Amino acid sequence: MKRSLTRLPFAIAVFALTHLLSGCSNLSSGSDTSAESHCSQLLYDANIAINNKQYQSAINTSNTVLASCPIKDGMMTTDAKDAYYYAGLSYYSLQQYQPAADAFAKLMAFKNANPYLQRPATMYYNISMARLNPAKAQDYINQALPISDSKSNVDVLDAIYDVGTRDKSLMNNYMALIDNPKFPLRFDRPIKLAQSLGDKKLAQTLTTRQATIEHVEAEARARNIAGPGVESSAGGDANLAGYKRGAFLSEAYRKAGEPVLAAYYEGVKKQYQGFLKSDAESAQADAALAKSNAEFEAQQRDQTQDLVNTVTGAVVSAGVASASGGNVAQAVNNSLADSAVSMSDNPEMMGAVKSGMQSFSSNQEKCTYATPSRFKQCCKNVIKGIFSSTQNSDGTTTYGCEHPDKYRTREGCTYNGDKLVINSCVING
């Protein structure tokens, strides 16, 4: 009886192992994954619409996400959080301050709203309320100012100009942003403020800068040069468009005698150049993995090894690992590898299989988020999750990876350019 079990076809053993691993994991169904990918694409579209100042389109797309994308286990999903945030920003940009405040309030109401969304949401809620309540405007502005990096947010400064105190301090805050295109000024207010403070030279400097930027942007539109407004990797064509835009603006501002702006967009060009290289490397890695999997499956079709005992050993290993709080997947991998080598008719081949299994576990443990490109590769190739990115008001970019488990566990890290912000990585369920 023992020998008849050892010669069971490989497909039957794989069927048993598949059911074992499905009991140890919480992977979403194919339909769920498809829906999540669709929702992620909608949110990307909403983000691009905001960058292109197509605010009503962003609102409509965000509302579609809120109406059609799933909310599981009674928890606020990342999709819904992003949708409320994008809708709030768009309403604010359209000067529809009541619906903007409502959207930000709904985001703030959820205890598990990610901090990188919750802090800007609180700030925008306060300045929306400042515009809605002139009698209490200064109070709301005072609540917004202590929030991290609020003074680098042009919307806060414009709100202070409109309903708060117009003084030298406000002028200094405007001037701190003049050479930082991540926070593009709307020049009408700072020009009027400089004039009211009696600084004619500064008013002229701002007027000249405004004319230069408008001329360069008009030339870019005439040449149909468009791209994401921030340097965040979106993959494929979007990265190529970002590279072209960075290259054009760098050269245009250099010719216009604006070396600071030229240097900034030269950095944007190089950032997207790195993303394009990362896309190519990721495609090569996917192709190599597919080839390796095909070769392995071809070898396995010629083997009728005893995998029943292997599965039994894996069950025991998984139970021990689970009871002790260990890594169940790694325990299963190790048990399968050891059993396969010990009972195989071809120890040399199965030794290679063991090495491959252990290498897979090692790769999981060595997944690093040191750079944006590594985060993206880890999310797509190791975690098999849904990748997203969000531009923060301080110029940093937060990258997110939503796991394919039923709790939709989310990891996130924040980067300043190509460098990881210390202690910024978080994980929540």
Side-chain angles (χ1 to χ4, degrees):
M1 184 65 179
K2 174 69 166 65
R3 190 59 185 169
S4 65
L5 287 176
T6 63
R7 290 300 178 187
L8 279 176
F10 178 78
I12 297 177
V14 169
F15 177 79
L17 181 58
T18 300
H19 279 269
L20 161 69
L21 294 178
S22 67
C24 296
S25 66
N26 294 305
L27 297 179
S28 302
S29 68
S31 61
D32 285 346
T33 301
S34 176
E36 290 166 9
S37 298
H38 175 65
C39 293
S40 295
Q41 181 61 48
L42 287 174
L43 288 169
Y44 173 72
D45 292 342
N47 192 4
I48 292 298
I50 291 175
N51 289 337
N52 293 331
K53 299 183 179 180
Q54 299 170 344
Y55 301 119
Q56 190 58 54
S57 175
I59 291 170
N60 295 340
T61 304
S62 297
N63 287 338
T64 298
V65 172
L66 292 170
S68 61
C69 293
I71 298 178
K72 298 183 178 181
D73 300 329
M75 296 177 66
M76 189 69 170
T77 68
T78 299
D79 289 347
K81 297 171 194 173
D82 289 345
Y84 278 127
Y85 188 59
Y86 293 150
L89 285 179
S90 299
Y91 280 125
Y92 186 90
S93 297
L94 293 173
Q95 299 182 21
Q96 298 178 27
Y97 300 121
Q98 188 60 63
D102 292 343
F104 291 125
K106 288 176 181 177
L107 172 56
M108 292 156 52
F110 288 88
K111 293 181 179 179
N112 63 326
N114 288 345
Y116 77 93
L117 291 176
Q118 200 167 24
R119 285 195 295 269
T122 302
M123 179 180 69
Y124 273 107
Y125 172 81
N126 287 331
I127 60 176
S128 296
M129 294 304 294
R131 293 183 175 279
L132 290 168
N133 298 277
K136 295 184 177 180
Q138 194 61 52
D139 290 340
Y140 284 116
I141 288 173
N142 290 341
Q143 293 176 45
L145 286 175
I147 296 174
S148 176
D149 301 316
S150 65
K151 291 181 181 179
S152 64
N153 189 295
V154 177
D155 289 324
V156 175
L157 302 186
D158 286 352
I160 295 173
Y161 179 89
D162 290 343
V163 297
T165 303
R166 302 177 185 179
D167 55 16
K168 186 66 175 177
S169 175
L170 177 59
M171 189 76 253
N172 290 338
N173 288 333
Y174 271 128
M175 292 307 299
L177 305 184
I178 188 172
D179 287 329
N180 193 340
K182 288 184 179 180
F183 312 105
L185 290 181
R186 292 176 284 268
F187 282 87
D188 55 332
R189 290 178 180 85
I191 289 173
K192 291 177 181 178
L193 180 57
Q195 291 170 341
S196 69
L197 294 173
D199 195 335
K200 295 181 180 180
K201 182 178 179 180
L202 178 56
Q204 182 59 47
T205 298
L206 291 171
T207 301
T208 301
R209 173 65 66 88
Q210 179 184 28
T212 300
I213 292 175
E214 289 178 352
H215 173 76
V216 170
E217 288 292 344
E219 189 175 349
R221 288 192 296 272
R223 299 188 182 199
N224 198 28
I225 296 175
V230 295
E231 58 270 42
S232 58
S233 176
D237 293 341
N239 284 341
L240 180 59
Y243 172 79
K244 290 180 177 179
R245 177 174 170 81
F248 171 78
L249 292 178
S250 175
E251 180 64 14
Y253 282 122
R254 185 188 65 79
K255 291 180 179 179
E258 292 285 356
V260 175
L261 295 179
Y264 171 81
Y265 283 108
E266 180 67 20
V268 170
K269 181 187 77 173
K270 291 180 179 178
Q271 183 92 341
Y272 275 112
Q273 192 173 30
F275 289 145
L276 288 170
K277 181 180 179 182
S278 174
D279 288 343
E281 290 175 346
S282 179
Q284 290 176 354
D286 289 342
L289 179 61
K291 180 181 178 181
S292 175
N293 287 340
E295 292 173 349
F296 177 74
E297 290 170 3
Q299 289 176 330
Q300 289 301 300
R301 282 194 293 269
D302 297 331
Q303 298 294 318
T304 54
Q305 302 296 307
D306 183 359
L307 294 182
V308 172
N309 288 342
T310 303
V311 172
T312 303
V315 171
V316 174
S317 296
V320 172
S322 178
S324 62
N327 187 325
V328 173
Q330 185 173 349
V332 171
N333 274 343
N334 291 342
S335 178
L336 289 172
D338 290 337
S339 298
V341 172
S342 65
M343 66 190 178
S344 173
D345 293 336
N346 189 342
E348 181 178 353
M349 185 201 77
M350 295 308 286
V353 173
K354 176 180 178 180
S355 176
M357 288 180 175
Q358 291 173 339
S359 176
F360 174 76
S361 295
S362 176
N363 286 341
Q364 283 188 310
E365 292 176 350
K366 292 181 179 178
C367 189
T368 175
Y369 295 158
T371 64
S373 60
R374 288 179 179 270
F375 185 101
K376 182 179 179 182
Q377 289 178 6
C378 178
C379 180
K380 292 174 61 179
N381 300 333
V382 178
I383 298 175
K384 305 298 182 185
I386 299 174
F387 173 80
S388 63
S389 65
T390 302
Q391 180 73 12
N392 303 318
S393 63
D394 62 354
T396 60
T397 303
T398 296
Y399 293 82
C401 185
E402 194 166 281
H403 290 231
D405 57 34
K406 76 171 185 177
Y407 302 105
R408 298 187 71 173
T409 302
R410 181 177 173 84
E411 294 185 56
C413 293
T414 300
Y415 298 86
N416 187 359
D418 212 28
K419 295 182 179 180
L420 177 66
V421 176
I422 302 301
N423 297 326
S424 68
C425 293
V426 296
I427 183 168
N428 56 43

